[in-house]
Amino acid sequence: MTFIPAINGKPAALRNDGHVPSYRVRPGEYLVMRVAVTVPEHLRVTALWLGISQGSWGNGPKRPVGMNPVLAHDRQPLPAGSHTFRLRWRVPQRRFGASLYLIFAWSSRQPPVSVSGPVAQLILT
């Protein structure tokens, strides 16, 4: 699966080094995020979560680990193709220089797999 974010109208600057795109954000800033998700033909996603993490993530038995808050949770099977999710969230007041992450977690029964990871890094300035 691929995840392409845009935050406050700024599309992702895709990187060649394998890292996710980063965005500079301010404490208290209101973010309008769009995440374009592409599901390949051979996969049937049975659950998808998008949310915020302080730097750790994983899949638990009923929901993702390290995702707080959950900004979107699609419980309907997600067929192959492109899907767009619109998210809104206010950055909490934190110390400068900290990073947060917009993350995903998804699972599938066909094939049986659960995956989680970052979509974008949010660098507090």
Side-chain angles (χ1 to χ4, degrees):
M1 286 184 41
T2 60
F3 297 85
I4 300 175
I7 297 179
N8 289 346
K10 182 181 173 190
L14 299 178
R15 297 174 54 155
N16 293 329
D17 62 4
H19 291 93
V20 296
S22 61
Y23 295 87
R24 296 203 176 278
V25 299
R26 294 179 318 278
E29 182 177 0
Y30 186 72
L31 303 180
V32 176
M33 300 173 275
R34 181 180 48 83
V35 180
V37 178
T38 303
V39 179
E41 281 293 324
H42 69 281
L43 189 63
R44 183 178 162 120
V45 174
T46 53
L48 172 69
W49 292 266
L50 294 166
I52 303 297
S53 170
Q54 292 185 19
S56 63
W57 48 80
N59 290 71
K62 296 190 185 249
R63 61 172 282 164
V65 175
M67 187 182 293
N68 185 21
V70 172
L71 301 176
H73 178 201
D74 197 340
R75 298 168 206 240
Q76 300 299 319
L78 203 58
S82 294
H83 309 274
T84 301
F85 294 85
R86 287 170 174 63
L87 315 168
R88 296 174 185 274
W89 179 66
R90 184 172 305 279
V91 178
Q93 298 292 334
R94 296 193 183 272
R95 59 185 166 84
F96 293 107
S99 288
L100 298 168
Y101 294 86
L102 173 60
I103 64 169
F104 68 85
W106 61 266
S107 59
S108 170
R109 290 191 195 116
Q110 185 82 8
V113 65
S114 293
V115 180
S116 61
V119 174
Q121 182 180 18
L122 307 173
I123 302 169
L124 290 170
T125 58

